[in-house]
Amino acid sequence: MSDELYLAIDVGTGSVRAALVDRTGRPTAIRAFEHEQIVPEYGWSEQRPADWWAGVTRAIRAVLDDVPDAARRIAAICGCGHMHGTVLLDANGELTRDTVPLWNDKRTMGQVAAFEKRYKLDEFIAESGNPPAPPWPGFKLQWIRDNDPEAYRRAAVVLMPKDYVNYRLTGEITMDRTEAACSFMMDPRTGDWSQSMCDRLELDRGKLTTIREPVEVLGGVSAPAARETGLRAGTPVLVGGGDYPVALLGSGVCRPGLGSDVTGTSCIITVVADQPLLAPEISNVGTPEGNWGAFILLETGGDAMRWARRAFHENGWSYEEIAAKAAEAQAGAQRLFFMPYLVGERFGEHRNARAQFFGITAEHGLAQLHRAVLEGVAFGATRHLHLMEDISGRKVERIVASSGGAKSDLWLKIKASAYNIPILLPKEPECGVVGAAALAATAEGRFPSAEDAAAAFVRYEREILPDPDWAETYARMQPFFEKLYHHSQALYDDLDRL
């Protein structure tokens, strides 16, 4: 039917969004409702699954009210959600813990350190697809097992946030490959749970549910869920996926040779590959269309500009004013380097890395300092991009930029020139919503693949090309940045001991 709609649900860290998307991939109505992030101790971060469901029902009812006869017109529903939040249900489908640790929860640092001390990376990375890190659900389960043993004992199944919403919608339980791939318990070679990884973590594999593809139909909206949400009972609900990989699809980054730059607080560079890229600094997530997203997170992305705003101007300048000042300096900031490691690094051997300016002379002023900060993040991201290109053996052809960093024209031009790759900007900023709709349209049979759906749904508003002169300057500076990066590592432990 020409008036059919897709319902996309996005369970974010700060809010739940529901969107009705038309057959061309354009959102026609979006509603969002915030939920609380609970911080019971420093470094902890929790939420209540009950709050997600309350937000989902409220958001769905709101968009149904916005569009005439919407419930009848919805052809399929697809959800995505923030990843790694570890939900435990008992045999009756009830929560064994009212709150769950989120992706940004750091309470598992001890579990990660103990695992790293016991096992060498080459002993397990082919079976885990990822280096160890605090976000992974495998370590969250260890923490719950050791600190809330009754909740762990009672648990019959482990789910992620969007899986819990799907369960409330349909009564069906499963997990998709995008979530399972970042659990530290799925073998990327088989696409199934790894018994040996569960054994290393001393976890019960019996608590892990089936792994399915995001585009599969999980079930229909149940009668109780229909009463709560206003949806039509029996409306198909897809398995869906994690918000990050679904947003990659919704930005058009869904085949090898394409990359993504998501710069918010951090800067995440992702390269699509047909196999995981196994290295100490690289993480790998399954993508909805069946590829792999190899990614490296630079902890300091937009935070670098936020730091400069506070440190140099006591928050008295706007970000636009800082960018305008940086634009006064020449490309390369007169050979001034900024190492963008204000909060260290997430992976690798030097998580205690520090930021620094290098090369300051009497000729440098505020314009060069600000430009160096922007360029330093670009150099750090370029380092990550080159590392993944070297391992994959394939050059990236295009990069799609999104999030807050995509709003700065100067920064985009700096990055395009540092990468020496054109950068595309999606016309629709709600990439997760578009990706979910593309999966729904594929499941409905309108497109032969999710890639074809994304090609039809994703539109770009503009392309930023590298500046040839800037690119030449940055190409000369990048090797020095790499040398400075490696030489500095010898000092971090000494600095910590001062």
Side-chain angles (χ1 to χ4, degrees), residues 170-348:
T170 67
E172 301 292 333
I173 290 175
T174 196
M175 192 185 298
D176 80 286
R177 72 182 294 269
T178 73
E179 298 273 18
C182 281
S183 67
F184 207 61
M185 296 177 288
M186 190 192 93
D187 189 329
R189 300 167 298 186
T190 65
D192 201 358
W193 301 115
S194 166
Q195 183 63 58
S196 61
M197 288 306 301
C198 291
D199 290 344
R200 289 185 180 98
L201 294 164
E202 299 178 358
L203 296 172
D204 180 3
R205 181 181 172 179
K207 297 182 186 294
L208 304 177
T209 185
T210 54
I211 302 173
R212 297 177 63 180
E213 294 298 324
V215 77
E216 293 182 48
V217 174
L218 175 63
V221 173
S222 67
R227 288 192 293 270
E228 287 193 73
T229 61
L231 293 167
R232 178 172 50 87
T235 304
V237 179
L238 274 65
V239 172
D243 57 356
Y244 165 50
V246 170
L248 288 177
L249 177 68
S251 68
V253 181
C254 53
R255 65 171 178 81
L258 296 179
S260 167
D261 176 332
V262 178
T263 298
T265 299
S266 59
C267 176
I268 306 175
I269 299 296
T270 307
V271 171
V272 179
D274 54 12
Q275 297 292 333
L277 305 184
L278 304 180
E281 293 179 84
I282 300 176
S283 298
N284 294 278
V285 62
T287 56
E289 76 285 348
N291 289 304
W292 288 87
F295 66 96
I296 306 180
L297 186 145
L298 183 65
E299 292 276 17
T300 302
D303 243 8
M305 187 182 278
R306 188 176 295 112
W307 167 79
R309 180 173 180 252
R310 184 184 70 250
F312 294 125
H313 309 290
E314 295 184 344
N315 296 326
W317 281 28
S318 69
Y319 293 118
E320 291 76 16
E321 289 173 314
I322 291 174
K325 190 66 178 177
E328 295 176 9
Q330 296 176 352
Q334 294 172 252
R335 292 180 293 180
L336 176 61
F337 288 83
F338 175 72
M339 306 302 290
Y341 304 103
L342 291 166
V343 291
E345 294 188 85
R346 179 168 294 190
F347 292 111

Side-chain angles (χ1 to χ4, degrees), residues 5-6 19-30 63 66-67 73 433:
L5 298 167
Y6 306 112
L20 293 172
V21 183
D22 68 19
R23 289 172 64 82
T24 69
R26 290 184 173 87
T28 61
I30 298 180
V63 293
D66 288 340
V67 177
R73 296 166 58 191
V433 165

Side-chain angles (χ1 to χ4, degrees), residues 26-27 250-251 400-401 424-431 434 457-462:
R26 290 184 173 87
S251 68
V400 178
L424 295 170
L425 297 183
K427 190 171 184 179
E428 174 52 59
E430 291 283 354
C431 296
V434 175
F457 281 7
V458 178
R459 303 165 184 85
Y460 300 104
E461 65 177 10
R462 59 195 175 101

Side-chain angles (χ1 to χ4, degrees), residues 383-404:
R383 176 181 171 274
H384 291 167
L385 178 65
H386 288 171
L387 176 61
M388 290 187 284
E389 286 181 327
D390 290 345
I391 293 175
S392 69
R394 180 168 187 163
K395 293 294 183 182
V396 172
E397 306 157 14
R398 289 287 187 281
I399 286 181
V400 178
S402 59
S403 197

Side-chain angles (χ1 to χ4, degrees), residues 11-271:
V11 184
T13 309
S15 67
V16 168
R17 290 187 294 281
L20 293 172
V21 183
D22 68 19
R23 289 172 64 82
T24 69
R26 290 184 173 87
T28 61
I30 298 180
R31 289 297 193 100
F33 294 95
E34 294 183 355
H35 44 234
E36 181 183 3
Q37 191 169 169
I38 306 162
V39 184
E41 295 186 28
Y42 175 75
W44 291 25
S45 178
E46 301 179 341
Q47 281 179 346
R48 300 181 183 90
D51 292 343
W52 304 333
W53 178 243
V56 166
T57 56
R58 191 177 174 193
I60 290 174
R61 285 194 171 276
V63 293
L64 293 182
D65 288 343
D66 288 340
V67 177
D69 200 22
R72 177 193 62 80
R73 296 166 58 191
I74 293 172
I77 300 167
C78 182
C80 62
H82 57 83
M83 303 177 71
H84 319 317
T86 307
V87 183
L88 303 183
L89 299 183
D90 65 18
N92 298 316
E94 299 296 327
L95 294 164
T96 69
R97 304 182 83 242
D98 292 337
T99 61
V100 301
L102 302 184
W103 61 272
N104 55 349
D105 188 289
K106 298 294 196 300
R107 75 184 69 183
T108 58
M109 293 289 287
Q111 282 74 20
V112 173
F115 188 91
E116 290 177 317
K117 186 175 181 179
R118 187 173 182 182
Y119 300 104
K120 295 181 179 179
L121 190 69
D122 58 7
E123 294 179 48
F124 62 82
I125 193 167
E127 297 174 62
S128 67
N130 281 298
W136 306 150
F139 294 111
K140 288 178 167 58
L141 286 173
Q142 281 191 319
W143 188 94
I144 294 170
R145 178 200 64 200
D146 297 341
N147 294 274
D148 195 348
E150 180 61 16
Y152 181 80
R153 184 191 66 77
R154 289 174 47 221
V157 68
V158 180
L159 299 177
M160 298 298 110
K162 69 97 179 51
D163 302 322
Y164 178 75
V165 169
N166 283 345
Y167 166 67
R168 294 296 300 265
L169 281 171
T170 67
E172 301 292 333
I173 290 175
T174 196
M175 192 185 298
D176 80 286
R177 72 182 294 269
T178 73
E179 298 273 18
C182 281
S183 67
F184 207 61
M185 296 177 288
M186 190 192 93
D187 189 329
R189 300 167 298 186
T190 65
D192 201 358
W193 301 115
S194 166
Q195 183 63 58
S196 61
M197 288 306 301
C198 291
D199 290 344
R200 289 185 180 98
L201 294 164
E202 299 178 358
L203 296 172
D204 180 3
R205 181 181 172 179
K207 297 182 186 294
L208 304 177
T209 185
T210 54
I211 302 173
R212 297 177 63 180
E213 294 298 324
V215 77
E216 293 182 48
V217 174
L218 175 63
V221 173
S222 67
R227 288 192 293 270
E228 287 193 73
T229 61
L231 293 167
R232 178 172 50 87
T235 304
V237 179
L238 274 65
V239 172
D243 57 356
Y244 165 50
V246 170
L248 288 177
L249 177 68
S251 68
V253 181
C254 53
R255 65 171 178 81
L258 296 179
S260 167
D261 176 332
V262 178
T263 298
T265 299
S266 59
C267 176
I268 306 175
I269 299 296
T270 307
V271 171

